[in-house]
Amino acid sequence: MAVGPTSMIVIAVVALIIFGPKKLPQFGRAMGSTLREFKDATKGLATDDDDDDDERDKKQQPKKIETVEVEKVEETKV
């Protein structure tokens, strides 16, 4: 049972009848701020979990040592 365009129109009409045209913008703003707060809260939880996984991975992996080759250049005196 998917929500299609026809279902959205019916829901919008019913909401308009129940809440009235003056209350719908306030209701929309409240829903938007609620969804934004929920999104921010779940984003924080997801990044916290990722940080814990990264720390655990760093402890398990051996440290890598990189070597750099240096070329010696001779100077000529004039």
Side-chain angles (χ1 to χ4, degrees):
M1 194 166 94
V3 179
T6 307
S7 300
M8 293 298 288
I9 292 171
V10 170
I11 292 170
V13 170
V14 169
L16 184 62
I17 291 170
I18 292 173
F19 295 111
K22 292 183 181 179
K23 295 288 183 179
L24 276 181
Q26 294 173 354
F27 182 70
R29 277 191 292 274
M31 287 297 295
S33 64
T34 302
L35 289 174
R36 189 176 311 116
E37 288 176 18
F38 179 75
K39 179 182 169 186
D40 292 342
T42 55
K43 183 179 179 184
L45 291 174
T47 55
D48 288 345
D49 289 342
D50 290 344
D51 292 342
D52 294 341
D53 292 341
D54 290 342
E55 289 177 15
R56 191 175 335 122
D57 290 343
K58 287 180 183 177
K59 290 178 182 177
Q60 292 176 355
Q61 293 179 351
K63 292 183 180 178
K64 295 179 182 178
I65 300 174
E66 294 183 22
T67 58
V68 179
E69 292 184 23
V70 179
E71 183 178 323
K72 186 175 180 180
V73 179
E74 295 182 20
E75 292 183 26
T76 58
K77 295 182 181 179
V78 180

